Amino acid sequence: MIKLERPPKPAILVDKEQEWLEPFLAAVDQYGNYKKIPKEEKNKLIGHYRHDQIKQALFPSSFFKCAFCEGKPQENGNIEVEHFFPKSIYPKKIFSWENLLPACRKCNDSKLVHDTGQEPIINPYDDDPDDYFQYTDILIKPINENKKAHSTIVVCSLNSARLMKPRAEILINLHTFRSNLQEALEDLDLADTSRRKQHKLRKIAEAIDIMEQLTENQKAYSGYCRDYLKSCKVYQSAKKVIEDSTQSSD
């Protein structure tokens, strides 16, 4: 999970939110609660939150990934407009821009009608996940046993097999890159000419670039990759070597 920035409220919601909300709340009052509204009538009343203009504003803000697990549609099902506060429990928030976020079908199904008002979970538009989560091997864990982080992991099934598998594949790649980087650093120490040294430095810089590409916002599970590099001593050493060589050549 990574920190996301919510874009401005789309024009369709500015113009239509109240117009859509009033008949929906009237139906909730008429039938007693959200669940009792007849299915066909309910679908007509609530479908506006899936408007294309809302998707076009919302989905790019998460880099077309799930806001919770960072999975992409081809891996975890279509990205959908999700209600952070469930519409069945908080009907007044059904068309609220601040209550909408992109989630994959699997996270959405896992979250279901969890009452985020009573038991808060992380909203990456409001919270910085780096303050709440860390990774151990292929598991995501709360920092300092944080209750809100723990609830998020459980509610969204962030340690399910569907997420541990891609993390394991990424971890193999990261370990391979780290080993290659370690060898390149050792070869650099053995370089006996300026030309050979520059060649080894280019190899190190290329390896660093490959690793850092995995942390780019648009990449799936970039938060996991960032956490790995943050604690990777070989990567940190290689970065310093490149920085020092750049400064010495200026």
Side-chain angles (χ1 to χ4, degrees):
M1 192 181 294
I2 60 173
K3 182 70 177 72
L4 302 176
E5 299 299 326
R6 185 174 293 280
K9 188 174 182 178
I12 191 70
L13 269 181
V14 173
D15 295 339
K16 298 287 188 178
E17 180 178 354
Q18 201 60 32
E19 179 182 325
W20 293 341
L21 183 61
E22 288 176 1
F24 169 67
L25 293 181
V28 172
D29 289 340
Q30 178 185 347
Y31 292 101
N33 62 50
Y34 172 86
K35 294 180 180 179
K36 291 182 178 179
I37 302 173
K39 185 176 180 180
E40 186 175 345
E41 182 177 352
K42 182 190 296 182
N43 288 338
K44 289 180 180 179
L45 290 167
I46 72 172
H48 305 297
Y49 75 82
R50 304 186 191 98
H51 196 284
D52 282 345
Q53 287 188 34
I54 293 175
K55 293 178 180 179
Q56 289 164 10
L58 193 62
F59 291 179
S61 70
S62 69
F63 308 94
F64 299 95
K65 300 187 294 185
C66 174
F68 295 117
C69 74
E70 281 198 90
K72 291 200 166 185
Q74 60 268 33
E75 299 159 349
N76 291 318
N78 292 336
I79 301 297
E80 304 170 332
V81 179
E82 150 74 356
H83 292 86
F84 186 76
F85 293 96
K87 55 187 178 294
S88 60
I89 304 174
Y90 301 91
K92 291 181 180 179
K93 294 179 180 288
I94 188 170
F95 301 119
S96 171
W97 178 233
E98 290 72 22
N99 193 37
L100 304 179
L101 74 170
C104 71
R105 187 163 297 164
K106 292 182 179 179
C107 280
N108 204 351
D109 289 345
S110 178
K111 181 174 171 288
L112 288 175
V113 291
H114 173 78
D115 190 343
T116 47
Q118 292 298 314
E119 186 181 349
I121 64 173
I122 304 301
N123 183 335
Y125 288 99
D126 300 327
D127 307 304
D128 188 343
D130 287 347
D131 295 334
Y132 293 89
F133 300 111
Q134 60 187 353
Y135 293 87
T136 302
D137 195 37
I138 58 174
L139 297 176
I140 185 171
K141 295 186 175 182
I143 295 175
N144 297 326
E145 300 300 322
N146 183 274
K147 182 179 179 181
K148 191 174 180 180
H150 176 74
S151 294
T152 308
I153 293 169
V154 172
V155 169
C156 297
S157 298
L158 297 184
N159 279 328
S160 61
R162 75 175 175 93
L163 295 174
M164 287 193 290
K165 183 178 179 180
R167 287 181 201 145
E169 293 172 352
I170 291 171
L171 186 60
I172 291 171
N173 289 331
L174 287 169
H175 280 334
T176 301
F177 294 147
R178 184 188 65 182
S179 296
N180 293 341
L181 204 51
Q182 180 66 55
E183 290 180 10
L185 288 170
E186 293 170 359
D187 288 345
L188 178 64
D189 290 336
L190 298 175
D192 54 3
T193 67
S194 176
R195 183 176 179 180
R196 288 178 179 173
K197 187 172 183 178
Q198 288 303 314
H199 175 72
K200 300 300 181 184
L201 285 170
R202 281 197 298 273
K203 291 291 184 182
I204 292 171
E206 288 170 3
I208 289 173
D209 184 58
I210 290 172
M211 295 178 82
E212 289 181 343
Q213 284 178 23
L214 295 175
T215 71
E216 294 173 355
N217 286 331
Q218 69 271 24
K219 297 294 177 66
Y221 315 111
S222 58
Y224 176 69
C225 298
R226 290 177 191 176
D227 188 82
Y228 179 94
L229 293 190
K230 189 167 58 177
S231 59
C232 180
K233 293 181 180 179
V234 173
Y235 166 77
Q236 300 296 340
S237 297
K239 286 282 286 185
K240 189 173 188 311
V241 165
I242 295 300
E243 289 170 3
D244 290 346
S245 68
T246 301
Q247 291 175 0
S248 64
S249 63
D250 288 343

